Amino acid sequence: MKEFNPWASSYIKDYDSLITEFGISRLNERLLEKLSDNIYIRRGLVIGHRDLELFLSHAESGKTTSIISGIKPTGAFHLGSRMTAYQMIYFQKKFKASLFYSIADLEAYMDNGQDFETSKRVAIENVADMLALGMDPKNSVVYMQSSALLVSDLAFIFSDDVTVNMLRDIYGDRRFSLYLSALIQSGDILLPQTKNFGGPKPVLVPVGADQDPHIRLSRDLAFKHRNDFGFLPPSAVYHKLIRSLSGNEKMSKRNPESMITLSDSRKDLERKILSAFTGGRSTVEEQRKLGGEPDKCPVFDLYLYFEDDDKEVERVRAECLGGKRLCGECKQQALAMVSSNLENHQVKRAEMMDMARDMIERGNELVKSRPL
Ligand code: SF4
């Protein structure tokens, strides 16, 4: 089986072979209909799942369920983190699931050499982003990995279930700190099922498709601990990775000029969007004659992620394909749409900073207790 690196910034072009090779399930008609109020599922940006039905069947019958995902606090939210946040908050609201959000400051230290104080400062802003996007503070636990003795306990226990060869099969040949960070992430994913949080229950993990190795490892570890801890295999929904504005890799903090963050000013957005790669042709005449290629265009992606109205997205696509739309005017429209969205978001986020700080303090207390 092909290895897959969740720490790399490569962009996935062929989701079909990813789905086939790693046994991810596609969303069938029934699921698509049931979740059709999710704008990104409707637009085909969620490409598959593992055991989503297990989560839904419990959630729909009113049983307790949880959502978990996390963020490495090395900078402002970018569109990938926003997408994960949207999915978490959507499932939290729709199914009244408790939400767990892990701030991966241990991974930031190991992978980026970032100190814990900086991570805490960045985390407050990241959590304020979550609150501004709609996270329910009364039904959420937010914590820093470095405070979570419970998560470390789980990682330590899991380390007895794996060998380096097994981890190499899943992740490829990596530094041992990354393997350790993978075990800690499994601890995060299985945390909501510990008795400290009410015991075994279906847990859904919304993630970018490149994070599937963490899901496979966590499901394997849940299976190994089905008798002692009673863990159920975590479910997952996978969304497409967001293309960078340069068009050839995933949007990531490693390339700041090619990503849009929720902290960008109008000036930042202008600089980034107006110089973005497009799916346009080399001359106006060609564009009028052949039309553009929206499916290759990171500017079109901005409409998919920011425009609420499906009809407007379709109009942009049709005008692009038909050669009626030129890239200059299209970028200006995208700039106006994104900057108005982010201006509103930044106002809301500023009001949420104190609440975010309190939530982290409260969450850290909850994950400190031991033993399991
Ligand atoms: Fe992209 Fe718009 Fe140009 Fe089409 S017209 S290629 S959507 S920028």
Side-chain angles (χ1 to χ4, degrees):
M1 191 175 270
K2 188 169 76 177
E3 69 180 51
F4 202 81
N5 179 4
W7 296 284
S9 56
S10 46
Y11 182 63
I12 300 172
K13 292 201 174 93
D14 183 3
Y15 285 98
D16 284 341
S17 58
L18 181 76
I19 286 172
T20 313
E21 186 158 2
F22 293 104
I24 293 172
S25 305
R26 291 177 196 277
L27 294 161
N28 59 28
E29 286 300 319
R30 207 174 53 80
L31 287 173
L32 287 173
E33 196 183 325
K34 197 174 277 194
L35 305 174
S36 63
D37 55 339
N38 180 314
I39 190 171
Y40 299 124
I41 288 181
R42 223 166 50 224
R43 292 179 183 175
L45 299 170
V46 174
I47 54 115
H49 70 96
R50 291 187 194 273
D51 270 344
L52 180 56
E53 287 98 344
L54 172 77
F55 173 85
L56 291 180
S57 68
H58 277 67
E60 285 170 339
S61 61
K63 292 185 188 150
T64 313
T65 53
S66 293
I67 316 285
I68 170 122
S69 201
I71 190 167
K72 189 160 67 163
T74 46
F77 251 44
H78 59 69
L79 296 193
S81 347
R82 178 181 180 269
M83 177 70 173
T84 303
Y86 177 94
Q87 295 302 332
M88 295 183 79
I89 293 162
Y90 167 81
F91 283 103
Q92 176 182 44
K93 283 197 170 143
K94 191 170 174 84
F95 299 106
K96 301 193 172 37
S98 55
L99 183 153
F100 289 73
Y101 199 53
S102 165
I103 310 290
D105 57 345
L106 287 177
E107 190 172 330
Y109 179 76
M110 287 189 284
D111 199 17
N112 304 73
Q114 178 170 293
D115 66 79
F116 292 103
E117 269 313 300
T118 305
S119 285
K120 196 166 180 192
R121 189 171 38 74
V122 176
I124 293 168
E125 190 171 297
N126 292 160
V127 175
D129 277 316
M130 289 288 287
L131 288 164
L133 289 168
M135 174 174 70
D136 175 1
K138 293 199 186 78
N139 197 17
S140 303
V141 176
V142 178
Y143 61 92
M144 310 291 291
Q145 267 181 347
S146 61
S147 295
L149 293 178
L150 258 172
V151 171
S152 310
D153 281 352
L154 286 170
F156 188 69
I157 290 164
F158 297 157
S159 68
D160 199 39
D161 302 308
V162 294
T163 63
V164 169
N165 278 347
M166 285 163 61
L167 294 169
R168 196 179 285 130
D169 277 352
I170 299 176
Y171 293 100
D173 205 7
R174 308 282 163 220
R175 298 193 313 277
F176 197 81
S177 63
L178 292 180
Y179 293 150
L180 183 56
S181 134
L183 290 174
I184 288 170
Q185 289 209 30
S186 290
D188 284 326
I189 289 172
L190 295 169
L191 176 75
Q193 298 196 58
T194 57
K195 68 178 181 205
N196 305 54
F197 291 102
K201 63 179 77 63
V203 173
L204 180 67
V205 196
V207 279
D210 60 341
Q211 301 301 302
D212 182 49
H214 296 316
I215 303 297
R216 282 186 276 128
L217 176 64
S218 302
R219 285 169 64 85
D220 184 45
L221 292 167
F223 182 76
K224 285 176 172 148
H225 290 280
R226 65 194 180 288
N227 294 326
D228 49 356
F229 292 122
F231 287 152
L232 301 175
S235 307
V237 275
Y238 300 103
H239 51 260
K240 283 187 177 175
L241 305 185
I242 301 179
R243 194 174 6 216
S244 78
L245 293 174
S246 61
N248 53 12
E249 57 185 357
K250 87 171 174 185
M251 197 172 271
S252 90
K253 294 166 189 166
R254 293 176 208 270
N255 188 357
E257 275 306 296
S258 277
M259 72 170 182
I260 287 184
T261 79
L262 303 198
S263 298
D264 280 348
S265 65
R266 163 91 195 190
K267 216 168 145 200
D268 294 327
L269 293 170
E270 199 169 320
R271 189 181 69 249
K272 292 177 183 179
I273 295 176
L274 298 188
S275 60
F277 174 79
T278 72
R281 308 287 175 178
S282 30
T283 63
V284 172
E285 292 69 35
E286 260 188 63
Q287 179 108 344
R288 293 279 185 221
K289 194 168 150 211
L290 301 171
E293 297 181 283
D295 293 334
K296 292 185 182 167
C297 179
V299 176
F300 182 68
D301 292 345
L302 298 177
Y303 290 93
L304 287 173
Y305 288 101
F306 281 97
E307 175 55 63
D308 291 334
D309 182 355
D310 290 348
K311 285 195 185 121
E312 178 60 10
V313 176
E314 264 323 296
R315 187 177 76 88
V316 172
R317 176 193 285 279
E319 285 183 2
C320 173
L321 286 169
K324 277 194 192 155
R325 175 173 279 258
L326 297 178
C327 296
E329 69 198 54
C330 191
K331 282 179 167 180
Q332 289 293 348
Q333 186 185 335
L335 172 62
M337 171 185 66
V338 176
S339 61
S340 133
N341 182 297
L342 293 192
E343 268 167 35
N344 291 335
H345 175 82
Q346 287 163 12
V347 171
K348 276 194 214 159
R349 184 182 59 198
E351 292 163 2
M352 300 292 175
M353 295 293 279
D354 287 344
M355 192 187 286
R357 198 173 290 110
D358 289 350
M359 277 190 82
I360 295 173
E361 295 302 327
R362 263 202 325 273
N364 283 349
E365 285 304 314
L366 290 175
V367 294
K368 259 182 192 165
S369 59
R370 359 174 47 156
L372 285 166

